[in-house]
Amino acid sequence: MSRMGNAYDQQPGTRIKEWGLGDDAEAQIEATGERPVMYRWLGTEPRTEHPFNVYRDIASQPKALRDTFALNRELVPDLAARLLERGTAAVVAYGLGTSFYASRTALPAFRAWAGLEAVALDSLELLAHDPPLRLERAVALGYSGSGSTVDTIRAAERLRERGAHQVCLTSVDGSPLTRVCDETIVCAGGFDTGGSDTFHFTTRVAASVWLALELGALRRPGERDWDALRARLLAIPDRLEEVFEVVDARAEVLSRRYRDVRAVFVVGSGACEGLAEEVALKYDVSHVPAKDMTPGRHLHGVLGTTAPDILTVVLAALDDPAYGRLRDVAQATRMLKAPSIAILSDADKAVAKEVDDVFRLPERDAVLFPLLAVLPGQLLAYWCGVAQGDVNPDCQRADHARHARV
């Protein structure tokens, strides 16, 4: 399957159209079966077969990442220096859905590389419970692809009232969230042409990891070869392009093979725990119930539900501190005769022997690995939707009037 570029002119920091149905929204919802309202919201042309718009969004990620790095070449290192001058010792991140999972995927970089305390909170949970966060020496990172997520904006306002210094990571410049925060990292890619965050996740994780790297280089200059690590991060777009066609073809084949599974378990640890949440969400969007979990949650509870009609996807970077336990998950799945797929480092041997199918990627670092592993995760879920025949992966069932109203 050849890679297809995006058919829309997506400019960094902008969206195709303003969100909303316009006049006579109820009539448009009633007609959503003929012309799904998701396309009206996004300003894109409806699709009824592969390649759906979300596939084009997935395929656009190398360019979106490359443009994000170029767009923020000076901003991210300068921001790291300013945060250090402020005495930043902790990170509080917040968002909803994919944005929350992006923050959870990125935060291990702040812990492992920059030596900072780091916690991620769901925006609604932050608002509902107002946890007693120590914000005096913290930077609050707000994640929203559109910059218009109402409850994330409210969370930012709450944190501002409490005196937090805030940086938002968004794909839309000048959006409401940017007006509440002190500083903004604008990620490239434009906005979705399908109704599912794809490059938003990857670009914001990459920008966050980059910020953590620059903070680490300033706070711990002799601890790592920061130049080499930075070069590996900035080369991720090239690596994604190199593996796309192989990953895409295998994801299509495996998704046809496993299209009738009852559910999917996605297992990851550390940075890949956040990625597991995101991959599970993408399966949910394709109408396949999915559950994310850590190795501990799998080995100490999920074994009883693992069965031949449940697929397990294991995310295992070779240098992940939990690698041995991820291997145990793969082995347990094999012993229970349940189908399994592993997304692995290219030099892996142990986990690969325990699973049915593998995707091998050219990265073994536990922090950088999710930036490549997101590709097979997204494509597996996408092709799973396509393989079912009656699922539009762009729509999140907004082509059904009941779902569109909600």
Side-chain angles (χ1 to χ4, degrees):
M1 179 61 63
S2 62
R3 183 169 71 256
M4 302 189 67
N6 204 301
Y8 298 90
D9 182 20
Q10 292 180 283
Q11 298 299 317
T14 64
R15 61 189 308 159
I16 297 170
K17 69 179 285 288
E18 290 300 313
W19 186 267
L21 284 171
D23 297 333
D24 202 0
E26 185 59 30
Q28 293 183 46
I29 288 172
E30 291 171 0
T32 194
E34 303 95 81
R35 183 181 174 87
V37 294
M38 183 64 76
Y39 292 106
R40 294 182 183 272
W41 288 330
L42 296 172
T44 54
E45 288 301 312
R47 296 288 306 170
T48 57
E49 61 184 10
H50 173 77
F52 289 91
N53 287 342
V54 69
Y55 178 82
R56 298 177 184 273
D57 290 343
I58 294 170
S60 75
Q61 286 178 114
K63 183 180 187 305
L65 265 181
R66 196 174 285 117
D67 290 349
T68 295
F69 290 146
L71 191 65
N72 294 284
R73 182 177 291 111
E74 295 181 1
L75 188 150
V76 168
D78 289 348
L79 175 58
R82 292 196 301 275
L83 291 177
L84 190 63
E85 290 173 4
R86 292 180 58 87
T88 300
V91 176
V92 175
Y94 58 99
L96 284 170
T98 286
S99 295
F100 177 53
Y101 305 149
S103 73
R104 289 187 32 91
T105 305
L107 286 198
F110 289 95
R111 300 184 191 114
W113 292 355
L116 300 176
E117 296 180 22
V119 61
L121 297 168
D122 177 287
S123 297
L124 273 172
E125 292 298 299
L126 191 157
L127 285 167
H129 300 286
D130 201 16
L133 301 167
R134 295 181 298 169
L135 299 173
E136 311 83 49
R137 298 181 61 198
V139 58
L141 302 181
Y143 291 75
S144 172
S146 66
S148 300
T149 309
V150 172
D151 289 307
T152 295
I153 296 167
R154 290 172 177 164
E157 291 169 344
R158 175 73 56 81
L159 291 170
R160 184 174 62 179
E161 292 169 1
R162 295 179 55 182
H165 184 76
Q166 297 195 81
V167 177
C168 72
L169 294 99
T170 181
S171 299
V172 181
D173 199 10
S175 55
L177 183 61
T178 68
R179 296 193 287 272
V180 179
C181 294
D182 300 290
E183 307 192 63
T184 301
I185 297 176
V186 177
C187 297
F191 204 67
D192 299 290
T193 66
S196 179
D197 287 351
T198 51
F199 54 81
H200 290 307
F201 177 88
T202 310
T203 55
R204 285 178 294 158
V205 171
S208 304
V209 168
W210 185 11
L211 179 59
L213 187 155
E214 299 300 344
L215 282 166
L218 293 172
R219 298 185 83 236
R220 300 169 159 184
E223 184 173 287
R224 298 172 186 265
D225 185 341
W226 297 107
D227 289 340
L229 195 60
R230 187 182 297 108
R232 284 166 67 183
L233 172 64
L234 298 180
I236 294 291
D238 295 336
R239 303 291 86 80
L240 285 171
E241 285 185 336
E242 290 166 5
V243 303
F244 186 94
E245 290 190 10
V246 171
V247 168
D248 186 40
R250 186 165 299 172
E252 182 181 5
V253 168
L254 296 182
S255 293
R256 286 201 308 266
R257 182 178 301 165
Y258 300 126
R259 66 185 175 188
D260 295 325
V261 295
R262 181 161 53 94
V264 179
F265 296 153
V266 188
V267 188
S269 180
C272 277
E273 181 183 0
L275 178 59
E277 293 174 309
E278 172 62 10
V279 173
L281 175 62
K282 293 302 183 274
Y283 269 108
D284 289 336
V285 169
S286 285
H287 308 182
V288 178
K291 183 176 182 179
D292 58 89
M293 63 196 68
T294 59
R297 291 203 295 273
H298 183 280
L299 296 169
H300 291 270
V302 177
L303 287 180
T305 57
T306 300
D309 59 351
I310 291 181
L311 172 66
T312 299
V313 178
V314 180
L315 311 173
L318 198 55
D319 290 344
D320 192 315
Y323 178 83
R325 290 306 185 199
L326 290 161
R327 185 258 181 191
D328 291 345
V329 169
Q331 184 182 52
T333 303
R334 175 181 59 78
M335 294 171 68
L336 291 167
K337 295 181 171 54
S340 57
I341 299 171
I343 301 175
L344 305 168
S345 303
D346 52 9
D348 184 279
K349 294 182 180 178
V351 173
K353 293 178 180 179
E354 304 291 345
V355 296
D356 295 304
D357 297 287
V358 301
F359 292 87
R360 292 186 180 273
L361 302 170
E363 185 55 68
R364 58 186 294 156
D365 182 89
V367 170
L368 293 177
F369 182 78
L371 290 168
L372 288 172
V374 66
L375 183 63
Q378 290 173 339
L379 286 170
L380 279 168
Y382 168 80
W383 282 112
C384 185
V386 172
Q388 292 176 68
D390 61 347
V391 173
N392 183 328
D394 287 341
C395 287
Q396 297 185 32
R397 276 209 172 117
D399 50 347
H400 295 200
R402 177 182 295 177
H403 284 76
R405 285 192 184 93
V406 175

mmCIF file of all heavy atoms in Angstrom, residues 231-274:
data_model
loop_
_atom_site.group_PDB
_atom_site.id
_atom_site.type_symbol
_atom_site.label_atom_id
_atom_site.label_comp_id
_atom_site.label_asym_id
_atom_site.label_seq_id
_atom_site.Cartn_x
_atom_site.Cartn_y
_atom_site.Cartn_z
ATOM 1 N N ALA A 231 19.879 14.617 18.121
ATOM 2 C CA ALA A 231 19.912 14.193 16.722
ATOM 3 C C ALA A 231 18.965 13.027 16.476
ATOM 4 O O ALA A 231 18.291 12.962 15.438
ATOM 5 C CB ALA A 231 21.342 13.817 16.329
ATOM 6 N N ARG A 232 18.885 12.096 17.431
ATOM 7 C CA ARG A 232 17.955 10.970 17.296
ATOM 8 C C ARG A 232 16.510 11.445 17.303
ATOM 9 O O ARG A 232 15.672 10.960 16.530
ATOM 10 C CB ARG A 232 18.196 9.947 18.403
ATOM 11 C CG ARG A 232 19.421 9.089 18.178
ATOM 12 C CD ARG A 232 19.827 8.338 19.413
ATOM 13 N NE ARG A 232 18.869 7.323 19.822
ATOM 14 C CZ ARG A 232 19.005 6.583 20.913
ATOM 15 N NH1 ARG A 232 20.061 6.748 21.703
ATOM 16 N NH2 ARG A 232 18.101 5.662 21.220
ATOM 17 N N LEU A 233 16.206 12.392 18.174
ATOM 18 C CA LEU A 233 14.846 12.933 18.224
ATOM 19 C C LEU A 233 14.493 13.626 16.912
ATOM 20 O O LEU A 233 13.421 13.377 16.335
ATOM 21 C CB LEU A 233 14.718 13.917 19.391
ATOM 22 C CG LEU A 233 13.413 14.718 19.455
ATOM 23 C CD1 LEU A 233 12.225 13.795 19.680
ATOM 24 C CD2 LEU A 233 13.490 15.779 20.558
ATOM 25 N N LEU A 234 15.370 14.466 16.418
ATOM 26 C CA LEU A 234 15.078 15.233 15.210
ATOM 27 C C LEU A 234 15.058 14.349 13.960
ATOM 28 O O LEU A 234 14.552 14.767 12.915
ATOM 29 C CB LEU A 234 16.093 16.364 15.048
ATOM 30 C CG LEU A 234 16.095 17.413 16.170
ATOM 31 C CD1 LEU A 234 17.135 18.490 15.900
ATOM 32 C CD2 LEU A 234 14.717 18.038 16.350
ATOM 33 N N ALA A 235 15.599 13.127 14.065
ATOM 34 C CA ALA A 235 15.578 12.194 12.933
ATOM 35 C C ALA A 235 14.319 11.337 12.901
ATOM 36 O O ALA A 235 14.129 10.564 11.948
ATOM 37 C CB ALA A 235 16.813 11.291 12.983
ATOM 38 N N ILE A 236 13.447 11.454 13.894
ATOM 39 C CA ILE A 236 12.231 10.637 13.943
ATOM 40 C C ILE A 236 11.388 10.776 12.664
ATOM 41 O O ILE A 236 10.879 9.769 12.147
ATOM 42 C CB ILE A 236 11.389 10.985 15.190
ATOM 43 C CG1 ILE A 236 12.128 10.584 16.473
ATOM 44 C CG2 ILE A 236 10.024 10.310 15.131
ATOM 45 C CD1 ILE A 236 12.249 9.101 16.688
ATOM 46 N N PRO A 237 11.213 11.984 12.092
ATOM 47 C CA PRO A 237 10.434 12.064 10.850
ATOM 48 C C PRO A 237 11.002 11.182 9.739
ATOM 49 O O PRO A 237 10.238 10.527 9.013
ATOM 50 C CB PRO A 237 10.505 13.549 10.480
ATOM 51 C CG PRO A 237 10.735 14.252 11.773
ATOM 52 C CD PRO A 237 11.597 13.327 12.581
ATOM 53 N N ASP A 238 12.326 11.143 9.617
ATOM 54 C CA ASP A 238 12.946 10.294 8.595
ATOM 55 C C ASP A 238 12.683 8.821 8.884
ATOM 56 O O ASP A 238 12.396 8.035 7.968
ATOM 57 C CB ASP A 238 14.450 10.540 8.535
ATOM 58 C CG ASP A 238 14.794 11.953 8.082
ATOM 59 O OD1 ASP A 238 13.957 12.581 7.399
ATOM 60 O OD2 ASP A 238 15.893 12.430 8.420
ATOM 61 N N ARG A 239 12.780 8.440 10.163
ATOM 62 C CA ARG A 239 12.545 7.037 10.517
ATOM 63 C C ARG A 239 11.096 6.637 10.218
ATOM 64 O O ARG A 239 10.837 5.524 9.747
ATOM 65 C CB ARG A 239 12.847 6.809 12.006
ATOM 66 C CG ARG A 239 14.232 7.171 12.495
ATOM 67 C CD ARG A 239 15.305 6.247 11.951
ATOM 68 N NE ARG A 239 15.770 6.684 10.650
ATOM 69 C CZ ARG A 239 16.655 7.675 10.461
ATOM 70 N NH1 ARG A 239 17.145 8.333 11.497
ATOM 71 N NH2 ARG A 239 17.045 8.001 9.249
ATOM 72 N N LEU A 240 10.149 7.534 10.492
ATOM 73 C CA LEU A 240 8.745 7.238 10.198
ATOM 74 C C LEU A 240 8.536 7.029 8.698
ATOM 75 O O LEU A 240 7.808 6.117 8.288
ATOM 76 C CB LEU A 240 7.851 8.373 10.704
ATOM 77 C CG LEU A 240 7.607 8.443 12.214
ATOM 78 C CD1 LEU A 240 6.884 9.736 12.570
ATOM 79 C CD2 LEU A 240 6.813 7.239 12.703
ATOM 80 N N GLU A 241 9.155 7.860 7.899
ATOM 81 C CA GLU A 241 9.021 7.699 6.452
ATOM 82 C C GLU A 241 9.616 6.375 5.981
ATOM 83 O O GLU A 241 9.061 5.701 5.116
ATOM 84 C CB GLU A 241 9.694 8.869 5.737
ATOM 85 C CG GLU A 241 8.892 10.154 5.796
ATOM 86 C CD GLU A 241 9.525 11.260 4.979
ATOM 87 O OE1 GLU A 241 10.758 11.193 4.753
ATOM 88 O OE2 GLU A 241 8.806 12.190 4.581
ATOM 89 N N GLU A 242 10.742 5.998 6.578
ATOM 90 C CA GLU A 242 11.421 4.772 6.158
ATOM 91 C C GLU A 242 10.590 3.521 6.430
ATOM 92 O O GLU A 242 10.626 2.564 5.651
ATOM 93 C CB GLU A 242 12.772 4.669 6.877
ATOM 94 C CG GLU A 242 13.800 5.694 6.404
ATOM 95 C CD GLU A 242 14.981 5.802 7.355
ATOM 96 O OE1 GLU A 242 15.040 4.999 8.331
ATOM 97 O OE2 GLU A 242 15.837 6.673 7.142
ATOM 98 N N VAL A 243 9.834 3.518 7.528
ATOM 99 C CA VAL A 243 9.116 2.297 7.910
ATOM 100 C C VAL A 243 7.656 2.306 7.488
ATOM 101 O O VAL A 243 6.963 1.291 7.625
ATOM 102 C CB VAL A 243 9.194 2.055 9.436
ATOM 103 C CG1 VAL A 243 10.644 1.977 9.895
ATOM 104 C CG2 VAL A 243 8.436 3.115 10.229
ATOM 105 N N PHE A 244 7.160 3.426 6.950
ATOM 106 C CA PHE A 244 5.715 3.566 6.756
ATOM 107 C C PHE A 244 5.133 2.443 5.900
ATOM 108 O O PHE A 244 4.133 1.811 6.279
ATOM 109 C CB PHE A 244 5.368 4.922 6.147
ATOM 110 C CG PHE A 244 3.880 5.162 6.070
ATOM 111 C CD1 PHE A 244 3.225 5.840 7.083
ATOM 112 C CD2 PHE A 244 3.124 4.673 5.006
ATOM 113 C CE1 PHE A 244 1.852 6.032 7.040
ATOM 114 C CE2 PHE A 244 1.757 4.860 4.950
ATOM 115 C CZ PHE A 244 1.118 5.543 5.972
ATOM 116 N N GLU A 245 5.687 2.194 4.745
ATOM 117 C CA GLU A 245 5.056 1.251 3.821
ATOM 118 C C GLU A 245 5.028 -0.164 4.384
ATOM 119 O O GLU A 245 4.026 -0.884 4.235
ATOM 120 C CB GLU A 245 5.763 1.299 2.466
ATOM 121 C CG GLU A 245 5.492 2.592 1.721
ATOM 122 C CD GLU A 245 5.978 2.567 0.288
ATOM 123 O OE1 GLU A 245 6.351 1.476 -0.181
ATOM 124 O OE2 GLU A 245 5.980 3.627 -0.365
ATOM 125 N N VAL A 246 6.117 -0.585 5.046
ATOM 126 C CA VAL A 246 6.143 -1.924 5.649
ATOM 127 C C VAL A 246 5.124 -2.014 6.780
ATOM 128 O O VAL A 246 4.356 -2.983 6.881
ATOM 129 C CB VAL A 246 7.552 -2.261 6.162
ATOM 130 C CG1 VAL A 246 7.535 -3.544 6.990
ATOM 131 C CG2 VAL A 246 8.530 -2.399 4.998
ATOM 132 N N VAL A 247 5.097 -1.003 7.641
ATOM 133 C CA VAL A 247 4.156 -1.003 8.764
ATOM 134 C C VAL A 247 2.718 -0.977 8.260
ATOM 135 O O VAL A 247 1.847 -1.699 8.755
ATOM 136 C CB VAL A 247 4.442 0.202 9.687
ATOM 137 C CG1 VAL A 247 3.311 0.396 10.692
ATOM 138 C CG2 VAL A 247 5.766 0.011 10.420
ATOM 139 N N ASP A 248 2.458 -0.152 7.266
ATOM 140 C CA ASP A 248 1.106 -0.017 6.733
ATOM 141 C C ASP A 248 0.605 -1.332 6.140
ATOM 142 O O ASP A 248 -0.522 -1.767 6.420
ATOM 143 C CB ASP A 248 1.104 1.078 5.668
ATOM 144 C CG ASP A 248 -0.287 1.402 5.151
ATOM 145 O OD1 ASP A 248 -1.229 1.436 5.970
ATOM 146 O OD2 ASP A 248 -0.433 1.601 3.938
ATOM 147 N N ALA A 249 1.441 -1.972 5.343
ATOM 148 C CA ALA A 249 1.028 -3.227 4.710
ATOM 149 C C ALA A 249 0.757 -4.311 5.746
ATOM 150 O O ALA A 249 -0.227 -5.053 5.650
ATOM 151 C CB ALA A 249 2.107 -3.685 3.733
ATOM 152 N N ARG A 250 1.607 -4.394 6.760
ATOM 153 C CA ARG A 250 1.410 -5.418 7.782
ATOM 154 C C ARG A 250 0.179 -5.114 8.625
ATOM 155 O O ARG A 250 -0.586 -6.017 8.990
ATOM 156 C CB ARG A 250 2.653 -5.537 8.667
ATOM 157 C CG ARG A 250 2.582 -6.694 9.664
ATOM 158 C CD ARG A 250 3.934 -7.003 10.254
ATOM 159 N NE ARG A 250 4.884 -7.395 9.211
ATOM 160 C CZ ARG A 250 6.184 -7.570 9.421
ATOM 161 N NH1 ARG A 250 6.694 -7.400 10.624
ATOM 162 N NH2 ARG A 250 6.974 -7.927 8.428
ATOM 163 N N ALA A 251 -0.040 -3.847 8.949
ATOM 164 C CA ALA A 251 -1.223 -3.480 9.734
ATOM 165 C C ALA A 251 -2.507 -3.841 8.988
ATOM 166 O O ALA A 251 -3.475 -4.317 9.595
ATOM 167 C CB ALA A 251 -1.197 -1.983 10.050
ATOM 168 N N GLU A 252 -2.521 -3.641 7.683
ATOM 169 C CA GLU A 252 -3.706 -3.994 6.899
ATOM 170 C C GLU A 252 -3.963 -5.501 6.944
ATOM 171 O O GLU A 252 -5.094 -5.953 7.177
ATOM 172 C CB GLU A 252 -3.538 -3.546 5.447
ATOM 173 C CG GLU A 252 -4.742 -3.845 4.583
ATOM 174 C CD GLU A 252 -4.567 -3.434 3.144
ATOM 175 O OE1 GLU A 252 -3.456 -2.993 2.774
ATOM 176 O OE2 GLU A 252 -5.538 -3.563 2.383
ATOM 177 N N VAL A 253 -2.914 -6.291 6.762
ATOM 178 C CA VAL A 253 -3.063 -7.748 6.771
ATOM 179 C C VAL A 253 -3.532 -8.244 8.132
ATOM 180 O O VAL A 253 -4.476 -9.047 8.247
ATOM 181 C CB VAL A 253 -1.729 -8.425 6.387
ATOM 182 C CG1 VAL A 253 -1.786 -9.928 6.669
ATOM 183 C CG2 VAL A 253 -1.409 -8.171 4.921
ATOM 184 N N LEU A 254 -2.888 -7.774 9.199
ATOM 185 C CA LEU A 254 -3.221 -8.264 10.539
ATOM 186 C C LEU A 254 -4.603 -7.805 10.978
ATOM 187 O O LEU A 254 -5.310 -8.536 11.681
ATOM 188 C CB LEU A 254 -2.158 -7.807 11.539
ATOM 189 C CG LEU A 254 -0.746 -8.369 11.308
ATOM 190 C CD1 LEU A 254 0.197 -7.875 12.395
ATOM 191 C CD2 LEU A 254 -0.752 -9.894 11.259
ATOM 192 N N SER A 255 -4.995 -6.625 10.575
ATOM 193 C CA SER A 255 -6.318 -6.142 10.968
ATOM 194 C C SER A 255 -7.429 -6.938 10.289
ATOM 195 O O SER A 255 -8.483 -7.162 10.879
ATOM 196 C CB SER A 255 -6.449 -4.650 10.644
ATOM 197 O OG SER A 255 -5.572 -3.898 11.459
ATOM 198 N N ARG A 256 -7.186 -7.375 9.065
ATOM 199 C CA ARG A 256 -8.163 -8.275 8.430
ATOM 200 C C ARG A 256 -8.209 -9.601 9.180
ATOM 201 O O ARG A 256 -9.276 -10.177 9.398
ATOM 202 C CB ARG A 256 -7.796 -8.510 6.963
ATOM 203 C CG ARG A 256 -8.080 -7.351 6.047
ATOM 204 C CD ARG A 256 -8.185 -7.808 4.590
ATOM 205 N NE ARG A 256 -7.033 -8.589 4.165
ATOM 206 C CZ ARG A 256 -5.967 -8.091 3.551
ATOM 207 N NH1 ARG A 256 -5.916 -6.785 3.313
ATOM 208 N NH2 ARG A 256 -4.971 -8.869 3.185
ATOM 209 N N ARG A 257 -7.052 -10.071 9.593
ATOM 210 C CA ARG A 257 -6.988 -11.362 10.283
ATOM 211 C C ARG A 257 -7.722 -11.317 11.610
ATOM 212 O O ARG A 257 -8.387 -12.280 12.008
ATOM 213 C CB ARG A 257 -5.523 -11.736 10.504
ATOM 214 C CG ARG A 257 -5.297 -13.091 11.176
ATOM 215 C CD ARG A 257 -3.809 -13.376 11.286
ATOM 216 N NE ARG A 257 -3.173 -13.390 9.966
ATOM 217 C CZ ARG A 257 -1.857 -13.327 9.780
ATOM 218 N NH1 ARG A 257 -1.044 -13.222 10.824
ATOM 219 N NH2 ARG A 257 -1.356 -13.351 8.563
ATOM 220 N N TYR A 258 -7.634 -10.197 12.325
ATOM 221 C CA TYR A 258 -8.196 -10.110 13.671
ATOM 222 C C TYR A 258 -9.432 -9.217 13.741
ATOM 223 O O TYR A 258 -9.802 -8.738 14.814
ATOM 224 C CB TYR A 258 -7.128 -9.573 14.645
ATOM 225 C CG TYR A 258 -5.901 -10.451 14.733
ATOM 226 C CD1 TYR A 258 -4.629 -9.928 14.515
ATOM 227 C CD2 TYR A 258 -6.007 -11.804 15.034
ATOM 228 C CE1 TYR A 258 -3.494 -10.725 14.599
ATOM 229 C CE2 TYR A 258 -4.874 -12.617 15.119
ATOM 230 C CZ TYR A 258 -3.622 -12.064 14.898
ATOM 231 O OH TYR A 258 -2.509 -12.865 14.978
ATOM 232 N N ARG A 259 -10.117 -9.017 12.621
ATOM 233 C CA ARG A 259 -11.229 -8.068 12.612
ATOM 234 C C ARG A 259 -12.413 -8.529 13.462
ATOM 235 O O ARG A 259 -13.251 -7.715 13.860
ATOM 236 C CB ARG A 259 -11.698 -7.837 11.185
ATOM 237 C CG ARG A 259 -12.328 -9.039 10.517
ATOM 238 C CD ARG A 259 -12.666 -8.762 9.069
ATOM 239 N NE ARG A 259 -13.156 -9.957 8.403
ATOM 240 C CZ ARG A 259 -13.376 -10.026 7.094
ATOM 241 N NH1 ARG A 259 -13.147 -8.966 6.332
ATOM 242 N NH2 ARG A 259 -13.819 -11.140 6.550
ATOM 243 N N ASP A 260 -12.501 -9.824 13.764
ATOM 244 C CA ASP A 260 -13.652 -10.326 14.512
ATOM 245 C C ASP A 260 -13.368 -10.514 16.007
ATOM 246 O O ASP A 260 -14.178 -11.130 16.700
ATOM 247 C CB ASP A 260 -14.115 -11.659 13.914
ATOM 248 C CG ASP A 260 -14.645 -11.497 12.495
ATOM 249 O OD1 ASP A 260 -15.264 -10.454 12.215
ATOM 250 O OD2 ASP A 260 -14.426 -12.406 11.669
ATOM 251 N N VAL A 261 -12.239 -9.995 16.499
ATOM 252 C CA VAL A 261 -11.965 -10.150 17.929
ATOM 253 C C VAL A 261 -13.005 -9.380 18.741
ATOM 254 O O VAL A 261 -13.589 -8.396 18.287
ATOM 255 C CB VAL A 261 -10.544 -9.662 18.298
ATOM 256 C CG1 VAL A 261 -9.492 -10.524 17.628
ATOM 257 C CG2 VAL A 261 -10.353 -8.192 17.966
ATOM 258 N N ARG A 262 -13.232 -9.873 19.944
ATOM 259 C CA ARG A 262 -14.235 -9.271 20.828
ATOM 260 C C ARG A 262 -13.731 -7.994 21.473
ATOM 261 O O ARG A 262 -14.511 -7.075 21.761
ATOM 262 C CB ARG A 262 -14.616 -10.298 21.897
ATOM 263 C CG ARG A 262 -15.667 -9.865 22.888
ATOM 264 C CD ARG A 262 -16.279 -11.075 23.570
ATOM 265 N NE ARG A 262 -15.277 -11.943 24.159
ATOM 266 C CZ ARG A 262 -14.876 -11.871 25.431
ATOM 267 N NH1 ARG A 262 -15.399 -10.950 26.231
ATOM 268 N NH2 ARG A 262 -13.976 -12.716 25.906
ATOM 269 N N ALA A 263 -12.423 -7.929 21.719
ATOM 270 C CA ALA A 263 -11.837 -6.764 22.372
ATOM 271 C C ALA A 263 -10.331 -6.805 22.166
ATOM 272 O O ALA A 263 -9.764 -7.802 21.704
ATOM 273 C CB ALA A 263 -12.173 -6.744 23.870
ATOM 274 N N VAL A 264 -9.678 -5.694 22.522
ATOM 275 C CA VAL A 264 -8.229 -5.584 22.406
ATOM 276 C C VAL A 264 -7.666 -5.087 23.726
ATOM 277 O O VAL A 264 -8.180 -4.122 24.312
ATOM 278 C CB VAL A 264 -7.827 -4.616 21.268
ATOM 279 C CG1 VAL A 264 -6.312 -4.496 21.175
ATOM 280 C CG2 VAL A 264 -8.413 -5.066 19.940
ATOM 281 N N PHE A 265 -6.603 -5.742 24.219
ATOM 282 C CA PHE A 265 -5.827 -5.256 25.351
ATOM 283 C C PHE A 265 -4.537 -4.652 24.805
ATOM 284 O O PHE A 265 -3.836 -5.290 24.013
ATOM 285 C CB PHE A 265 -5.463 -6.379 26.324
ATOM 286 C CG PHE A 265 -6.644 -7.035 26.995
ATOM 287 C CD1 PHE A 265 -6.562 -8.350 27.430
ATOM 288 C CD2 PHE A 265 -7.825 -6.341 27.212
ATOM 289 C CE1 PHE A 265 -7.637 -8.964 28.059
ATOM 290 C CE2 PHE A 265 -8.907 -6.943 27.840
ATOM 291 C CZ PHE A 265 -8.815 -8.262 28.265
ATOM 292 N N VAL A 266 -4.214 -3.432 25.217
ATOM 293 C CA VAL A 266 -2.980 -2.772 24.791
ATOM 294 C C VAL A 266 -2.136 -2.541 26.041
ATOM 295 O O VAL A 266 -2.574 -1.856 26.969
ATOM 296 C CB VAL A 266 -3.261 -1.438 24.085
ATOM 297 C CG1 VAL A 266 -1.966 -0.879 23.489
ATOM 298 C CG2 VAL A 266 -4.313 -1.606 22.990
ATOM 299 N N VAL A 267 -0.937 -3.122 26.070
ATOM 300 C CA VAL A 267 -0.107 -3.132 27.277
ATOM 301 C C VAL A 267 1.167 -2.336 27.043
ATOM 302 O O VAL A 267 1.917 -2.591 26.096
ATOM 303 C CB VAL A 267 0.257 -4.573 27.694
ATOM 304 C CG1 VAL A 267 0.941 -4.567 29.056
ATOM 305 C CG2 VAL A 267 -0.987 -5.459 27.719
ATOM 306 N N GLY A 268 1.426 -1.376 27.914
ATOM 307 C CA GLY A 268 2.649 -0.584 27.835
ATOM 308 C C GLY A 268 3.062 -0.090 29.201
ATOM 309 O O GLY A 268 2.268 -0.094 30.150
ATOM 310 N N SER A 269 4.300 0.358 29.309
ATOM 311 C CA SER A 269 4.836 0.823 30.583
ATOM 312 C C SER A 269 5.573 2.138 30.368
ATOM 313 O O SER A 269 6.062 2.412 29.272
ATOM 314 C CB SER A 269 5.801 -0.223 31.158
ATOM 315 O OG SER A 269 6.335 0.195 32.393
ATOM 316 N N GLY A 270 5.666 2.962 31.416
ATOM 317 C CA GLY A 270 6.382 4.222 31.292
ATOM 318 C C GLY A 270 5.750 5.109 30.239
ATOM 319 O O GLY A 270 4.535 5.333 30.233
ATOM 320 N N ALA A 271 6.561 5.619 29.319
ATOM 321 C CA ALA A 271 6.022 6.446 28.242
ATOM 322 C C ALA A 271 5.020 5.678 27.403
ATOM 323 O O ALA A 271 4.057 6.249 26.883
ATOM 324 C CB ALA A 271 7.170 6.962 27.368
ATOM 325 N N CYS A 272 5.218 4.378 27.269
ATOM 326 C CA CYS A 272 4.299 3.560 26.469
ATOM 327 C C CYS A 272 2.995 3.267 27.197
ATOM 328 O O CYS A 272 2.065 2.736 26.578
ATOM 329 C CB CYS A 272 4.975 2.255 26.042
ATOM 330 S SG CYS A 272 6.001 2.447 24.564
ATOM 331 N N GLU A 273 2.896 3.601 28.484
ATOM 332 C CA GLU A 273 1.588 3.500 29.136
ATOM 333 C C GLU A 273 0.651 4.543 28.544
ATOM 334 O O GLU A 273 -0.515 4.254 28.242
ATOM 335 C CB GLU A 273 1.699 3.691 30.646
ATOM 336 C CG GLU A 273 0.364 3.560 31.355
ATOM 337 C CD GLU A 273 0.438 3.810 32.852
ATOM 338 O OE1 GLU A 273 1.539 4.100 33.371
ATOM 339 O OE2 GLU A 273 -0.627 3.724 33.511
ATOM 340 N N GLY A 274 1.144 5.778 28.360
ATOM 341 C CA GLY A 274 0.331 6.806 27.712
ATOM 342 C C GLY A 274 0.001 6.427 26.286
ATOM 343 O O GLY A 274 -1.120 6.640 25.819
#
